[in-house]
Amino acid sequence: CLPVGFEPSEEDLAPSGSRYDGQIAVFGRKFQEKIANYREFLVGSGAIGCEMLKNWAMMGLATGPNGVIHITDMDTIEKSNLNRQFLFRPSDVGKLKSDTAAAAVAKMNPDVKGKIVTHQDRVGTDTEAVYNDGFFDEIDAVTNALDNVEARKYMDGRCVFYRKPLLESGTLGTKGNTQVVVPFLTESYSASQDPPEKSIPSCTLKNFPNAIEHTIQWARDLFAGLFVQPAESVNTYLSTTDYINTSLGQSNEQAKIDALTTIRDFLVTDKPLAFDDCVAWARKNFETLYNNNIQQLLYNFPADSVTSSGQMFWSPPKRAPSAIGFDPKNDLHVDFIVATANLHAFNYGLKGSRDRDHIKDVAASVSVASFEPKSGVKIQVNENDNAADNDNSYDPNELDKLVESLPDPSSYAGVRLIPADFEKDDDTNFHIDFITAASNLRASNYGITLADRFRTKQIAGKIIPAIATTTSLVTGLVCLELYKIIGSGEGDNKRKIDDYKNGFVNLALPFFGFSEPIAPAKYKYNDTEASEWDAFVFDHDITLQELLDHFKREHNLEVDMVSSGVTMLFSNFMARKKVDARLPMKFADIITDVNGKEIPSHVKQIVLV
């Protein structure tokens, strides 16, 4: 970690009564000044971000006259954050993470007060006017403290474009990793990646669950299908002129019928006028989900059915289900009705109720038609099957009848449903209550061990277990690499790739492994080698003809295609008339002409591929 060219004098290492004397005794006062005047961008202020910011405050990072720390996080503090994001307190719930974290470390080290600039903008293409050329020109490096791969890859791409060092890290329970990305010296974060997570096959979710994770995901999807998507569809119908042609124009007939049926049901047929109507709706959904659908499945595939190979159809991992009849004396059944009715009431802005006795009585009094399984119903058995849940044949006149049954949107002026956007941390909104009850009822259908509310919340909310010890270890390793980057040297006297280390740890084993970063892959054309860090840079807006001539003259290369983003600007198979028209045009003009709009004012550089 010692700075390149580290030759401090005894005076440079001597204590001076500074809070950084311990660090100065190792690195020297001159290097401490470099730390103090460093300019860093921290993306995220969650578990890793809080610990990182605390470490930087203790190091004295950006405390000098030219130092600055930019930190961005668009999230607000939730109650579930408090057990692992130690800069936050119960009184901070609801406040912005970036502002609160900055204020907390300023109390720890007053030297950083006024040196932290907070932002609440998500990093992405839509905020490039904020994090623009000027912004990246004013920072020295980037540290990611993110919780999703998409944002990590985006920031990695920006660091490659602006040629800025990037420090990357992540944790999962007792596991942690760190990665250092140095321009021209190492590969980027996006150059290698883990394989995608395995998803649960749709046929398993819909018909053949065999683990509680399957029923919880099914309940999570059901939540969206009952309380989010229908409300959004109704609102779109009420606010869109010529909805069928505008929003459903590219859909097939069956998809149109399904969408319009949902709108009709939620806007007309099943529209509640009082909370008791919501209870009745919940009771009918119980019957459909846990009785009728199971009876239909067993009608198609009886418990003793065999496959074409002579094996039992309901062989492991498949579990033969059993239908459930509603029992008002069963708490789990009532839990489902209470949560479902309240969420349905929320969609319509009706007042809910927690009176279980009243809800139980209303549900018990609902008349439910007896169910007779139907023949000809197709059920998907394998992931690759094209079979749907129902017959794709439909009455050609059904779509017209549905359209006629829908009310005129103008008669619902100002009326909107309220989608129940999923929020796992509000214990009063019935979201986790619904998913827990719905999942456990489905588990009861299939003889799967039930899960309590806490485990359901963890899986449905995709809560990654965080251990403070892992977080502190990983951020400590990142800070060691930050020392190396700050003291990396200049010109020919710079650190070599083997000075840096990527870290891999698992505290449960325990395992601590370190490796040299991988060098960037080299690509060769003619006698020239290049990597992802290299680019051809023109200091002015050139014409297409100038670009083609430059590559032919300077590099003996023929350009077959030029694009910017998703916009094709030139190709050798493009119509000759169009090519001739664009050859004398500057690229800014070509992009404006093709896209039909001006290039945003914050864009100072055009990226061509």
Side-chain angles (χ1 to χ4, degrees):
C1 291
L2 295 179
V4 172
F6 178 65
E7 296 179 358
S9 64
E10 185 176 344
E11 181 182 358
D12 193 41
L13 299 172
S16 61
S18 163
R19 67 180 297 152
Y20 313 113
D21 277 351
Q23 192 164 256
I24 290 171
V26 176
F27 296 119
R29 186 166 287 101
K30 291 180 181 178
F31 186 62
Q32 183 63 41
E33 290 175 358
K34 290 193 67 173
I35 294 173
N37 287 292
Y38 207 66
R39 304 168 301 175
E40 186 76 10
F41 182 28
L42 177 62
V43 188
S45 55
I48 289 177
C50 282
E51 188 73 14
M52 196 76 67
L53 204 57
K54 181 264 292 181
N55 284 359
W56 290 353
M58 298 300 99
M59 290 163 55
L61 186 76
T63 55
N66 299 319
V68 65
I69 296 172
H70 290 272
I71 177 172
T72 186
D73 197 311
M74 64 178 294
D75 288 342
T76 56
I77 299 164
E78 299 173 354
K79 187 166 67 173
S80 62
N81 299 148
L82 301 179
N83 71 328
R84 62 187 184 278
Q85 299 174 21
F86 296 137
L87 295 183
F88 307 142
R89 299 293 180 264
S91 60
D92 295 325
V93 171
K95 297 179 182 178
L96 290 164
K97 286 186 175 181
S98 56
D99 290 346
T100 307
V105 296
K107 291 180 180 178
M108 296 179 178
N109 182 1
D111 291 351
V112 302
K113 190 172 183 179
K115 308 302 294 185
I116 302 177
V117 180
T118 60
H119 306 263
Q120 290 79 44
D121 305 289
R122 183 197 303 272
V123 291
T125 55
D126 55 339
T127 57
E128 288 182 0
V130 178
Y131 309 117
N132 53 24
D133 296 351
F135 177 84
F136 278 92
D137 286 343
E138 295 298 319
I139 63 172
D140 297 314
V142 176
T143 299
N144 277 347
L146 291 160
D147 59 1
N148 68 91
V149 173
E150 182 182 355
R152 284 184 168 114
K153 292 176 73 172
Y154 173 79
M155 284 308 303
D156 176 64
R158 300 304 278 173
C159 288
V160 170
F161 180 76
Y162 290 109
R163 296 168 179 174
K164 300 291 182 181
L166 171 67
L167 292 167
E168 177 61 65
S169 60
T171 67
L172 180 63
T174 60
K175 301 175 184 177
N177 71 282
T178 64
Q179 181 179 353
V180 57
V181 177
V182 181
F184 301 101
L185 192 63
T186 73
E187 69 173 8
S188 67
Y189 169 80
S190 304
S192 58
Q193 53 187 309
D194 295 330
E197 294 182 9
K198 291 184 179 180
S199 59
I200 304 171
S202 60
C203 58
T204 300
L205 286 179
K206 292 180 179 179
N207 302 305
F208 308 112
N210 55 73
I212 195 64
E213 289 80 6
H214 300 163
T215 66
I216 291 174
Q217 183 59 53
W218 175 87
R220 181 70 179 83
D221 295 343
L222 181 66
F223 177 93
L226 291 179
F227 310 116
V228 181
Q229 294 160 2
E232 292 176 344
S233 297
V234 167
N235 291 345
T236 303
Y237 170 75
L238 294 175
S239 60
T240 304
T241 303
D242 193 16
Y243 169 81
I244 295 174
N245 292 322
T246 303
S247 299
L248 301 179
Q250 303 300 318
S251 304
N252 60 41
E253 295 298 300
Q254 187 60 47
K256 290 180 180 178
I257 289 172
D258 292 342
L260 295 180
T261 300
T262 297
I263 293 172
R264 182 202 61 192
D265 290 346
F266 276 75
L267 199 55
V268 181
T269 311
D270 296 331
K271 180 183 178 182
L273 300 178
F275 181 71
D276 285 0
D277 296 332
C278 298
V279 176
W281 182 82
R283 170 66 183 89
K284 291 174 182 177
N285 271 281
F286 180 101
E287 195 71 14
T288 299
L289 295 168
Y290 304 110
N291 190 330
N292 299 355
N293 290 352
I294 299 301
Q295 287 192 49
Q296 182 66 57
L297 180 62
L298 290 172
Y299 177 84
N300 281 44
F301 306 106
D304 58 354
S305 59
V306 295
T307 65
S308 58
S309 63
Q311 294 184 343
M312 294 296 294
F313 178 84
W314 293 105
S315 298
K318 289 188 180 72
R319 291 169 173 259
S322 57
I324 297 176
F326 178 71
D327 180 4
K329 296 180 181 179
N330 188 309
D331 286 340
L332 179 57
H333 297 195
V334 178
D335 287 344
F336 176 85
I337 302 297
V338 171
T340 305
N342 275 279
L343 286 167
H344 195 54
F346 174 83
N347 283 152
Y348 291 89
L350 297 174
K351 184 179 180 180
S353 172
R354 293 179 178 273
D355 187 341
R356 290 177 67 90
D357 290 335
H358 174 74
I359 293 172
K360 186 188 306 182
D361 293 340
V362 173
S365 67
V366 174
S367 177
V368 178
S370 59
F371 177 75
E372 290 294 333
K374 301 176 183 177
S375 59
V377 175
K378 296 180 181 179
I379 293 177
Q380 186 180 11
V381 176
N382 298 307
E383 183 68 7
N384 296 327
D385 289 350
N386 293 321
D389 283 339
N390 47 47
D391 196 339
N392 283 332
S393 61
Y394 54 86
D395 183 351
N397 298 319
E398 185 176 358
L399 182 59
D400 294 335
K401 293 177 182 178
L402 269 172
V403 173
E404 291 175 3
S405 69
L406 293 175
D408 186 347
S410 62
S411 64
Y412 282 77
V415 175
R416 294 292 184 273
L417 268 61
I418 309 170
D421 295 327
F422 181 65
E423 173 50 65
K424 67 182 183 298
D425 291 314
D426 183 350
D427 293 336
T428 66
N429 63 9
F430 293 101
H431 294 192
I432 294 299
D433 296 311
F434 170 82
I435 293 174
T436 302
S439 168
N440 282 337
L441 281 168
R442 181 128 173 116
S444 299
N445 279 135
Y446 286 87
I448 298 170
T449 303
L450 310 189
D452 60 21
R453 192 178 191 280
F454 177 80
R455 176 159 170 71
T456 301
K457 177 179 178 178
Q458 185 180 44
I459 296 173
K462 297 182 178 179
I463 299 174
I464 299 174
I467 297 176
T469 312
T470 312
T471 303
S472 63
L473 172 59
V474 163
T475 52
L477 294 175
V478 169
C479 289
L480 290 178
E481 299 307 309
L482 179 60
Y483 282 131
K484 297 176 186 178
I485 289 174
I486 296 174
S488 60
E490 298 177 353
D492 295 332
N493 189 26
K494 291 181 73 76
R495 285 192 189 278
K496 303 298 187 286
I497 192 170
D498 56 1
D499 289 336
Y500 297 98
K501 293 292 181 285
N502 292 340
F504 309 90
V505 302
N506 188 338
L507 300 180
L509 295 179
F511 171 79
F512 305 91
F514 299 93
S515 66
E516 296 173 11
I518 300 173
K522 299 291 185 179
Y523 307 93
K524 191 171 183 178
Y525 66 93
N526 298 330
D527 295 324
T528 303
E529 276 193 343
S531 73
E532 60 183 319
W533 295 99
D534 293 296
F536 299 101
V537 180
F538 299 90
D539 59 4
H540 64 285
D541 188 7
I542 63 172
T543 66
L544 174 57
Q545 185 67 66
E546 288 175 329
L547 181 77
L548 301 180
D549 291 345
H550 173 85
F551 278 97
K552 181 63 177 176
R553 181 180 64 253
E554 301 295 332
H555 304 284
N556 194 29
L557 295 174
E558 295 284 349
V559 177
D560 295 328
M561 184 182 297
V562 181
S563 62
S564 178
V566 297
T567 305
M568 183 184 294
L569 308 178
F570 163 79
S571 70
N572 54 12
F573 53 80
M574 187 176 284
R576 190 69 230 175
K577 184 177 180 181
K578 187 179 291 186
V579 172
D580 290 341
R582 293 182 182 180
L583 284 173
M585 295 174 64
K586 293 185 176 182
F587 275 100
D589 295 329
I590 298 175
I591 293 171
T592 300
D593 182 63
V594 174
N595 290 335
K597 58 183 179 181
E598 294 291 328
I599 297 174
S601 59
H602 69 272
V603 177
K604 305 301 181 185
Q605 302 181 66
I606 297 173
V607 181
L608 302 176
V609 180

